Amino acid sequence: MIARLLAVAALALSAPVVAATAANPELKVTTLDGKPFDLAAQRGKWVIVNYWATWCVPCIKEMPDISAFVKSRKDVTAIGLAFEDTEKKDIEAFVGKHPVVYPIAQVDVTAPPKDFDAPTGLPTTYLIAPDGHVAHRFVGPVDAAKLSAAMAKAP
């Protein structure tokens, strides 16, 4: 019995420490155009929180899909989080070539928003329900069908 407990404890201690995404995460960022974005202010809407990077091909492919989905629904909004160590002007130039209907903010890769797990792959997208809880987390590209299906399954 003691050997089993020691084995379980050793396994737990050897596992990588990863912060868990908060059940009702907070997110306050400043967008590229200097405006504040507060996730709490979006209550009553579905919110797509999308981590991406300019070098990420699947990210670039999904941006128009997310933009069209947001544009097609009054109950959905989004925030794009540029997750890379790049100059702001380079992100702005990229967004100029790949425009979206939702705001974009650049986040520090060494200190990402504390209530979200740091992405282990890009794109990573969180679907936040109107009450503020995380309804679904996607790793890999999303589209309207995946977002709609997750919204339909959410409590």
Side-chain angles (χ1 to χ4, degrees):
M1 177 71 160
I2 292 176
R4 180 180 289 169
L5 289 173
L6 289 173
V8 169
L11 182 60
L13 292 174
S14 68
V17 178
V18 177
T21 297
N24 289 295
E26 291 185 16
L27 177 66
K28 292 181 181 180
V29 293
T30 301
T31 61
L32 293 178
D33 60 3
K35 295 179 182 174
F37 178 91
D38 184 354
L39 184 58
Q42 308 305 315
R43 295 290 192 270
K45 289 187 172 190
W46 291 93
V47 183
I48 300 164
V49 178
N50 177 247
Y51 283 87
W52 63 277
T54 59
W55 49 262
C56 169
V57 174
C59 300
I60 297 166
K61 182 189 177 310
E62 78 176 354
M63 290 174 80
D65 295 337
I66 294 171
S67 195
F69 187 73
V70 168
K71 192 173 181 177
S72 74
R73 298 192 50 150
K74 294 189 185 307
D75 63 336
V76 177
T77 190
I79 179 77
L81 301 178
F83 190 71
E84 64 181 278
D85 189 17
T86 303
E87 296 291 324
K88 179 182 174 189
K89 65 179 177 52
D90 295 334
I91 301 292
E92 291 170 332
F94 176 87
V95 173
K97 293 178 185 172
H98 303 275
V100 292
V101 298
Y102 51 90
I104 301 289
Q106 186 173 10
V107 295
D108 186 341
V109 296
T110 61
K114 66 178 179 62
D115 281 1
F116 289 88
D117 290 335
T120 56
L122 291 175
T124 295
T125 303
Y126 292 88
L127 178 63
I128 310 298
D131 68 359
H133 82 274
V134 176
H136 197 84
R137 177 177 176 251
F138 302 90
V139 177
V142 297
D143 57 23
K146 289 179 183 177
L147 292 165
S148 294
M151 290 168 69
K153 290 180 186 175

